[in-house]
Amino acid sequence: MFRIKDWIAVAGILITAVCLWGLWFNRYDVVDWYVLRGYNPDSQISSLATNSGMSAKGAKVFYAQHPRITDKEEFNAICTTGEQTIVLGCYTGYDLIRDSDIFIYNVSEPELQGIQEVTAAHEMLHAAYDRLSSSERKAVDSLTAAMLQNINSPRITKLIEGYQERDPSSVPNELHSILATEVAVLDPALEAYYAQYFSNRQKVVSLSEKYESVFESNTNETQRIAGELSLRKSELAKLEASIDADYIALDASRASLDRLRSANNINAYNSAVPAFNQQVANYNQAVANYKRLIAEYNSLVEAYNQKVGRQQELVQSIDSKYQPVN
């Protein structure tokens, strides 16, 4: 038979169990409260959250990692995880010892403005994914996998295939970040899910599209010039062959005139001179055209080299591993 004090003991155990369950269920709120007490993000960090369209919850998850914009040496020392593309940021997972858990590479190239905001949102979503329960993760993974089948983006498809080849287990996590930050139109269910992290998700997508268009525009222009160079090269080869043939014909005509003059066949010589002069004029005009085309070709080569050089500069500006050759 239970006595009153036995019931009190049981009640105490139950209350303790409920409290522990509550703490576990709300563990991230407790952790966030702990790590964010007294924390005030600097203007650079807060602008990343604002400009990328993060909601209050998204910003809270972001700030809870004490994100840091960092330069080459520290970034390369910390962000060592294998990526399929140039690494612009990393989420290292919650660490009580390390001050920060999100690191963003300091890209200062003016043309790539917005790249840090996209990186910040991408890494925040890694932290958010880390917080999902197994059942929540399963549901979200189902939505993102279905979405991947319905998007028409060779670049994103190739990117995900790269992750698949290197580490299939990373695909759901990466897809969770990539879709939110780089795809404008998502399925309603997925859009509703991301709405908890973004008050305006189109902000970050627009920034992503903006800096991606810089690379795409340079690539397209480089390919256009390369195609034109190929056509001009073919045209020059044909003109050169024609000039060579004209020169042989011109040389033969000159020899014929010399023979007429040597034979003192003045009438025949005088009759042949106008045609020869026209032949010379046509030859000189062809040579002039050839020289003009050579100048145009050289200008295109210069433009091509400039575009290639600029593309390399842009890539180098976001590549923390790049080391200039002295």
Side-chain angles (χ1 to χ4, degrees):
M1 179 177 181
F2 275 94
R3 293 170 293 180
I4 293 177
K5 64 179 181 179
D6 293 329
W7 285 109
I8 293 174
V10 171
I13 292 172
L14 290 173
I15 290 171
T16 301
V18 170
C19 289
L20 289 173
W21 180 86
L23 284 171
W24 174 253
F25 186 77
N26 297 290
R27 63 192 180 281
Y28 290 116
D29 290 331
V30 175
V31 170
D32 289 347
W33 169 83
Y34 178 78
V35 300
L36 290 174
R37 70 195 197 291
Y39 171 77
N40 289 305
D42 62 33
S43 58
Q44 274 189 301
I45 294 299
S46 61
S47 68
L48 293 181
T50 301
N51 295 340
S52 62
M54 290 185 198
S55 65
K57 179 176 180 177
K60 184 180 179 182
V61 173
F62 182 53
Y63 295 150
Q65 318 311 314
H66 289 199
R68 186 188 305 174
I69 299 173
T70 184
D71 288 320
K72 200 170 277 192
E73 186 175 348
E74 180 184 42
F75 186 84
N76 287 337
I78 294 171
C79 295
T80 57
T81 55
E83 292 278 354
Q84 299 308 307
T85 57
I86 289 172
V87 180
L88 297 171
C90 65
Y91 163 66
T92 60
Y94 184 66
D95 192 319
L96 286 171
I97 299 175
R98 192 168 38 239
D99 291 336
S100 300
D101 301 314
I102 285 180
F103 296 85
I104 299 163
Y105 184 54
N106 186 18
V107 179
S108 56
E109 174 59 56
E111 274 195 83
L112 301 180
Q113 187 177 9
I115 199 168
Q116 291 183 357
E117 284 84 350
V118 177
T119 303
H122 182 104
E123 301 306 330
M124 176 275 287
L125 287 164
H126 279 320
Y129 188 83
D130 208 16
R131 295 172 172 221
L132 297 176
S133 67
S134 59
S135 60
E136 290 172 329
R137 194 170 297 174
K138 184 177 180 181
V140 170
D141 289 350
S142 177
L143 291 174
T144 56
M147 187 67 227
L148 181 62
Q149 302 304 313
N150 294 322
I151 62 173
N152 182 22
S153 172
R155 182 185 64 81
I156 290 179
T157 300
K158 184 177 179 181
L159 180 60
I160 296 301
E161 286 174 351
Y163 282 112
Q164 182 69 38
E165 291 175 7
R166 185 180 181 89
D167 179 12
S169 67
S170 71
V171 171
N173 195 342
E174 292 298 336
L175 192 56
H176 176 262
S177 288
I178 291 169
L179 291 178
T181 56
E182 301 184 37
V183 180
V185 180
L186 298 174
D187 290 337
L190 201 52
E191 197 71 72
Y193 165 75
Y194 284 126
Q196 63 185 309
Y197 302 113
F198 296 94
S199 57
N200 185 354
R201 194 180 64 82
Q202 294 308 313
K203 275 189 173 184
V204 71
V205 173
S206 294
L207 291 173
S208 176
E209 290 174 344
K210 182 180 178 181
Y211 82 74
E212 283 291 347
S213 71
V214 173
F215 288 104
E216 185 177 350
S217 174
N218 269 278
T219 299
N220 290 342
E221 183 64 6
T222 301
Q223 291 174 345
R224 184 194 68 78
I225 296 175
E228 193 168 346
L229 280 171
S230 180
L231 290 174
R232 292 296 179 91
K233 190 174 182 178
S234 176
E235 186 179 356
L236 282 168
K238 290 179 181 178
L239 185 55
E240 187 175 0
S242 176
I243 288 173
D244 288 343
D246 288 346
Y247 182 81
I248 292 172
L250 188 64
D251 196 44
S253 296
R254 185 183 291 109
S256 177
L257 283 172
D258 288 343
R259 285 192 297 272
L260 289 171
R261 186 166 56 182
S262 297
N264 203 27
N265 192 346
I266 303 303
N267 289 333
Y269 177 86
N270 289 338
S271 296
V273 165
F276 177 77
N277 288 341
Q278 185 61 52
Q279 198 175 2
V280 170
N282 292 341
Y283 176 82
N284 289 337
Q285 182 61 50
V287 170
N289 288 339
Y290 182 78
K291 289 180 178 179
R292 176 180 57 80
L293 288 173
I294 284 287
E296 291 176 0
Y297 181 84
N298 289 337
S299 294
L300 281 172
V301 168
E302 184 178 354
Y304 177 82
N305 289 336
Q306 287 177 348
K307 283 293 179 183
V308 170
R310 182 54 182 153
Q311 189 79 339
Q312 290 175 342
E313 288 174 355
L314 290 171
V315 171
Q316 289 163 7
S317 75
I318 63 173
D319 186 0
S320 66
K321 299 291 194 302
Y322 171 73
Q323 295 293 337
V325 177
N326 296 321

